Amino acid sequence: MDLLKVGDYMNNHPVTFTADMTLELAADRLTISNQTGGPVVDDHNKVIGFLSEQDCLSLMLKSTYHDQQVAHVRDIMQTEVLSVKPYDGIIDLAQMMLKLKPKLYPVVDDNNLLLGIISRSHVLAALDKEMNSHYRKAV
């Protein structure tokens, strides 16, 4: 199982956001994609933040009560982003996911450029596939 790498199981085409995108457009993208969040990238595809459904929900709920003006992703995105590298191991990531809150991690190269995302579902599928493979070999 040490051979299982993040890069082999990540989503290479995730929904992304820009800092100047409106919250309305970002929420639409999240809803359509069924992602629970996604990376915020700059013009060079460098990860500069992360936007989650919870971030959107919180501000949209406040806006409903206070009739606030248009908000942008930069107003609510998380700027401290936990990310992983494509060469990181799935087992290590699974252990990290058990300890930390994020359900989805941007996958970045050594220059912090976005390569994809990996979610708990991707990790679970990788572990399940590996366990089934070992089971079939044992039978």
Side-chain angles (χ1 to χ4, degrees), residues 126-138:
L127 294 174
D128 184 52
K129 181 179 176 183
E130 186 66 17
M131 287 178 68
N132 284 331
S133 172
H134 283 304
Y135 176 75
R136 277 184 245 126
K137 288 178 185 175

Side-chain angles (χ1 to χ4, degrees), residues 5-25:
K5 300 295 179 199
V6 166
D8 296 328
Y9 294 94
M10 69 184 190
N11 171 354
N12 293 305
H13 304 288
V15 169
T16 61
F17 309 95
T18 60
D20 62 344
M21 184 180 287
T22 64
L23 178 59
E24 181 181 22
L25 180 56

